[in-house]
Amino acid sequence: MATSAPGIQQLLVAEKDAADLVAQARNRKQIRLKQARSEAELEIKNFKLELEREAKVKISESASSGNNAQLEIQKDLDSKINDMNTNVQKNQDEVIKTLLDIVCNIQLELHGNYTIPKK
């Protein structure tokens, strides 16, 4: 049994060394996971900032293009109003004359359904 004691002792030492190696590996794994998590959080934060920046640029572009579109619509509207006012001024006298002729020159006629009562 004396010879088996050093063998057992060697096995216990080897088992302890193996347990230490496993513990070290677990610790390294935990450290790598923490680093990976912090790197991922940093990447996510940077990605969010980039997306927010892009969104702000798109919003400002759409707002400026909206203003351009609004100005274009306003110019078109002003142009159409000016054309209408010009047409009104050009045709105003003729329209008034035609309306006065219709109102003042009345032709008296009996309605087609009217019958003269017999006495």
Side-chain angles (χ1 to χ4, degrees):
M1 277 246 194
T3 59
S4 67
I8 292 176
Q9 199 64 356
Q10 253 183 340
L11 286 174
L12 290 174
V13 169
E15 188 177 337
K16 184 177 181 221
D17 288 343
D20 288 343
L21 285 174
V22 169
Q24 288 174 359
R26 283 186 184 144
N27 288 338
R28 284 192 305 266
K29 182 180 177 183
Q30 289 297 324
I31 290 170
R32 282 195 318 262
L33 284 174
K34 286 179 183 177
Q35 286 176 342
R37 186 176 296 125
S38 65
E39 288 174 5
E41 287 174 357
L42 182 62
E43 283 185 35
I44 290 170
K45 182 179 176 184
N46 290 336
F47 185 70
K48 279 184 179 180
L49 290 173
E50 182 64 29
L51 286 179
E52 288 175 4
R53 200 173 305 125
E54 288 177 10
K56 286 180 183 178
V57 167
K58 286 184 180 183
I59 288 172
S60 66
E61 286 176 356
S62 67
S64 65
S65 68
N67 289 340
N68 290 340
Q70 186 177 2
L71 290 174
E72 196 173 308
I73 291 170
Q74 188 64 39
K75 285 180 185 178
D76 187 40
L77 183 63
D78 290 342
S79 171
K80 287 181 180 180
I81 289 173
N82 287 335
D83 290 344
M84 287 181 188
N85 287 335
T86 303
N87 286 335
V88 166
Q89 291 299 323
K90 190 183 340 177
N91 297 324
Q92 183 176 11
D93 292 335
E94 185 179 333
V95 170
I96 289 174
K97 182 180 181 254
T98 304
L99 286 173
L100 286 175
D101 284 344
I102 291 171
V103 170
C104 292
N105 296 329
I106 299 173
Q107 299 282 332
L108 294 178
E109 296 179 2
L110 291 177
H111 193 273
N113 290 334
Y114 181 73
T115 56
I116 299 174
K118 294 182 181 180
K119 289 186 186 181

